[in-house]
Amino acid sequence: MASTTREKFASFINNRWLVFVAAMWIQSCAGNGYLFGSISPVIKSSLNYNQKELARLGVAKDLGDSVGFIAGSLSENMPLWVALLVGAVQNLVGYGWVWLVVTRRAPVLPIWAMCLLIFVGNNGETYFNTGSLVSGVQNFPKSRGPVVGILKGFAGLGGAILSQIYTMIHSPDPASIILMVAVAPAVVAVSLMFFIRPVGGHRQIRPTDGASFTFIYGVCILLAVYLMAVMLIEDLVVVSHNIITIFTIVLFVILVVPVLVPIMTSFFFDSNGPVDTVEEPLVPKREDQEPGTQTPDLILSEVEDEKPSDVDLLPASERHKRIAQLQAQLMQAAAKGAIRVKGRRGPHRGEDFTLMQALVKADFWLIFTSLLLGGGSGLTVIDNLGQMSQSLGYNNTHVFVSMISIWNFLGRISGGYFSELVVRDYAYPRPVALAVAQVVMAIGNVFFAFGWPGAMYIGTLLIGLGYGAHWAIVPATASELFGLKNFGALYNFLTLANPAGSLVFSGMIASTIYDMEAEKQAHGSVFNPDDVLKCDGYICYFLTSLIMSGFCIVACILSLILVRRTKTVYTHLYGKTRT
């Protein structure tokens, strides 16, 4: 009996679902960047910064959230807990020092040093993201869409979760929110870092996996609906501190509920064993290799180059037969010296690429550019949402900020779910779901452009869903086309597309057009030069929104080009799962 209990406990500790749930908890505290809007007023008032200096801190925050080369390198060469520990230290030191400066416990630093501290603190997120995502895709190689969508979704909700906790703390010191941002993510990451690791998840296939994912999805939807309801209640009604405390306790209960999955699968269902004794391969064998044969890689490379394009569209049995014939012909010709077998030119799609090998591939740059245009335009809306709502006559701008956070979360969850249906049920390229998300964003931008009644609500919904879907679909696509071995480095390079797009679209296009329209309105009215330029009406973002809509359409076209180029890859990766 004691031996059985120890075995079940060991199964629980090494359960891939436990690793997944621990990663969800870490991600739920990895939303520091979303709280910058709450932190920045405290910094501004304490250090007497102007708006320009505050904007520099915002740029440092965005850069810190996106520059993850070191995190990617650590995830490749060291255990994942090392990356999480480094992220926790950076988070604590960066934001902790900012708190010391703001509360005058440390000397006031120049603006460049404050930017550096914000960069270091927010850069900790890249380590949390990398550790969580790498463990997720390695432990669930055949469920990358749902896993990435859920983990990125929790990162998007992190700001709302931490904000609710701070509301419960009810500290009279406004600077205490900076201390919470410094300490809470670091404590959670250090507490859970040894759980985040590959545990041979591809050998833990169970009949209950489908039900487990359904349960996790249900918790995610419940969490989103609950947070939305709590935000609206706290915004519209005066709520006592006791009620806020109850709201927060219920929030914690919802966050803890997913641990029931590894408990049930380890202590109650584990006796059923896995689906079969054949483990799920991390990288599938090539379909053009006959069972039991060991065809040299050089011949496989020649087959890849020489086989007709219609071979991949044939039924499996006929495809194997045709490729076997072509292999035999090539090997016979090579033996006679009739052809010279070329050296293999690096990995093929679906195999493990290094970052340098991926950087010379057109597919990689199609993903990057599509993310730059689609994700960058979405981030531009998020960054300007406050002014957009004010220009259309709304006073409670933070309501739309909270709403787009929830829609962003649901977009990440649904993007992972529906893109997984596409690849699982139809063996069709995952980027087609990205193209659909970009069309949705294009429509949302049109609503913003014309400022129709209810445009803020509909536009926020569509942009939030579409933008969130990018962060479930893109990482999963990158891992499928370029492998799992160097996923950390590949993912962190792709994330650079987001701030690059935002820098151009928001920092140059949106702000320039807004100031131009505000100046036009100022010339037609009595205007004090000392006043801040302000624009009213849908015209403020009319041209910007149409440009963003156009960028989304271009991104959609690029995604469809990627779909066309990768059809055979997805047939190879997922075609067998349909039979």
Side-chain angles (χ1 to χ4, degrees):
M1 181 67 180
S3 176
T4 302
T5 302
R6 283 196 298 270
E7 290 176 1
K8 287 184 177 295
F9 183 75
S11 173
F12 174 72
I13 294 299
N14 293 291
N15 191 315
R16 65 175 181 171
W17 287 100
L18 179 63
V19 178
F20 184 40
V21 172
M24 289 164 56
W25 290 339
I26 290 177
Q27 289 293 85
S28 67
C29 291
N32 294 348
Y34 294 97
L35 281 177
F36 185 74
S38 300
I39 293 172
S40 56
V42 180
I43 298 175
K44 182 179 182 180
S45 61
S46 175
L47 302 180
N48 295 319
Y49 283 170
N50 57 37
Q51 194 63 31
K52 195 172 185 180
E53 289 171 321
L54 204 62
R56 293 176 186 173
L57 294 181
V59 172
K61 182 265 298 182
D62 290 336
L63 287 175
D65 191 30
S66 302
V67 179
F69 292 117
I70 298 177
S73 178
L74 279 179
S75 70
E76 292 176 12
N77 301 295
M78 301 288 287
L80 293 179
W81 67 263
V82 175
L84 293 173
L85 179 60
V86 173
V89 171
Q90 282 197 203
N91 187 91
L92 182 62
V93 171
Y95 281 110
W97 203 331
V98 170
W99 174 74
L100 291 174
V101 171
V102 168
T103 56
R104 307 295 179 174
R105 290 177 170 85
V108 176
L109 300 175
I111 183 65
W112 66 264
M114 293 297 292
C115 288
L116 180 61
L117 289 177
I118 292 291
F119 173 88
V120 170
N122 218 55
N123 191 243
E125 287 187 31
T126 65
Y127 296 87
F128 301 152
N129 274 308
T130 301
S132 300
L133 291 178
V134 169
S135 66
V137 297
Q138 288 184 351
N139 287 327
F140 294 86
K142 286 294 186 180
S143 302
R144 304 176 202 188
V147 167
V148 172
I150 291 169
L151 291 178
K152 291 297 293 181
F154 271 88
L157 270 190
I161 293 171
L162 291 174
S163 180
Q164 180 62 30
I165 295 172
Y166 178 71
T167 303
M168 180 192 70
I169 294 173
H170 196 61
S171 172
D173 180 11
S176 59
I177 189 173
I178 304 176
L179 180 61
M180 185 194 71
V181 167
V183 174
V187 170
V188 172
V190 171
S191 301
L192 299 173
M193 63 184 183
F194 292 114
F195 290 98
I196 306 301
R197 68 207 191 280
V199 289
H202 55 294
R203 295 189 296 269
Q204 298 185 24
I205 315 304
R206 292 182 172 88
T208 57
D209 283 347
S212 298
F213 270 116
T214 301
F215 179 76
I216 296 292
Y217 272 121
V219 172
C220 290
I221 294 173
L222 174 63
L223 180 62
V225 172
Y226 178 75
L227 277 174
M228 176 71 82
V230 169
M231 286 178 184
L232 291 175
I233 291 173
E234 293 178 350
D235 182 66
L236 300 175
V237 181
V238 177
V239 181
S240 70
H241 183 259
N242 289 336
I243 299 297
I244 292 175
T245 302
I246 293 173
F247 284 161
T248 309
I249 292 173
V250 174
L251 173 62
F252 281 128
V253 171
I254 296 175
L255 288 173
V256 170
V257 163
V259 80
L260 291 176
V261 173
I263 290 175
M264 297 296 289
T265 55
S266 296
F267 291 99
F268 298 96
F269 301 144
D270 197 52
S271 58
N272 294 331
V275 171
D276 51 47
T277 57
V278 180
E279 68 181 57
E280 184 181 65
L282 285 169
V283 178
K285 293 181 180 180
R286 298 176 61 85
E287 284 192 359
D288 49 15
Q289 183 171 348
E290 286 290 304
T293 63
Q294 297 294 329
T295 307
D297 279 349
L298 296 179
I299 294 297
L300 285 177
S301 181
E302 292 294 325
V303 170
E304 185 73 18
D305 293 337
E306 297 294 335
K307 70 180 180 182
S309 59
D310 60 347
V311 168
D312 291 300
L313 304 178
L314 296 173
S317 57
E318 182 65 21
R319 180 169 63 250
H320 288 315
K321 182 178 179 181
R322 290 279 299 275
I323 291 176
Q325 292 173 350
L326 182 56
Q327 286 176 353
Q329 294 170 2
L330 286 172
M331 293 181 72
Q332 185 177 13
K336 293 180 179 179
I339 65 169
R340 182 180 179 181
V341 178
K342 297 176 288 186
R344 190 173 183 186
R345 300 165 303 193
H348 295 293
R349 295 188 189 104
E351 299 174 349
D352 288 322
F353 283 71
T354 65
L355 177 60
M356 297 307 296
Q357 289 171 329
L359 287 175
V360 298
K361 295 297 181 181
D363 294 341
F364 188 81
W365 288 106
L366 282 171
I367 297 174
F368 184 90
T369 308
S370 180
L371 178 60
L372 185 148
L373 295 174
S377 62
L379 191 58
T380 297
V381 171
I382 293 173
D383 289 344
N384 291 275
L385 198 59
Q387 283 185 305
M388 292 175 75
S389 56
Q390 286 179 346
S391 67
L392 293 177
Y394 294 95
N395 295 321
N396 296 326
T397 60
H398 60 281
V399 172
F400 296 105
V401 175
S402 299
M403 287 177 61
I404 204 167
S405 175
I406 302 296
W407 301 135
N408 183 9
F409 170 74
L410 291 176
R412 298 180 186 209
I413 299 297
S414 59
Y417 177 78
F418 288 111
S419 69
E420 195 70 15
L421 290 182
V422 169
V423 299
R424 285 288 183 183
D425 294 351
Y426 304 99
Y428 204 73
R430 193 182 299 271
V432 73
L434 186 62
V436 172
Q438 287 157 348
V439 170
V440 169
M441 290 181 66
I443 297 172
N445 276 302
V446 170
F447 273 90
F448 283 135
F450 290 95
W452 294 316
M456 281 302 302
Y457 294 95
I458 298 174
T460 299
L461 167 67
L462 297 179
I463 296 296
L465 291 175
Y467 175 76
H470 280 69
W471 294 107
I473 299 169
V474 168
T477 301
S479 71
E480 289 162 337
L481 297 183
F482 303 105
L484 294 171
K485 184 177 180 181
N486 302 298
F487 172 73
L490 296 168
Y491 165 75
N492 280 294
F493 185 90
L494 287 171
T495 59
L496 291 176
N498 215 36
S502 175
L503 178 64
V504 176
F505 304 158
S506 181
M508 297 174 63
I509 297 175
S511 60
T512 301
I513 295 175
Y514 181 91
D515 288 343
M516 180 181 67
E517 294 295 340
E519 288 176 1
K520 288 181 181 178
Q521 294 182 5
H523 290 319
S525 61
V526 179
F527 179 72
N528 187 340
D530 294 330
D531 291 340
V532 178
L533 283 173
K534 184 178 179 182
C535 181
D536 294 316
Y538 75 91
I539 195 65
C540 306
Y541 285 93
F542 174 76
L543 183 57
T544 297
S545 297
L546 289 184
I547 292 174
M548 295 302 111
S549 183
F551 283 150
C552 289
I553 295 298
V554 174
C556 174
I557 294 171
L558 294 178
S559 297
L560 292 176
I561 293 173
L562 184 64
V563 168
R564 181 176 178 82
R565 289 173 58 88
T566 58
K567 281 184 179 179
T568 56
V569 182
Y570 280 88
T571 300
H572 163 58
L573 285 174
Y574 294 100
K576 289 183 178 180
T577 64
R578 301 172 59 198
T579 58

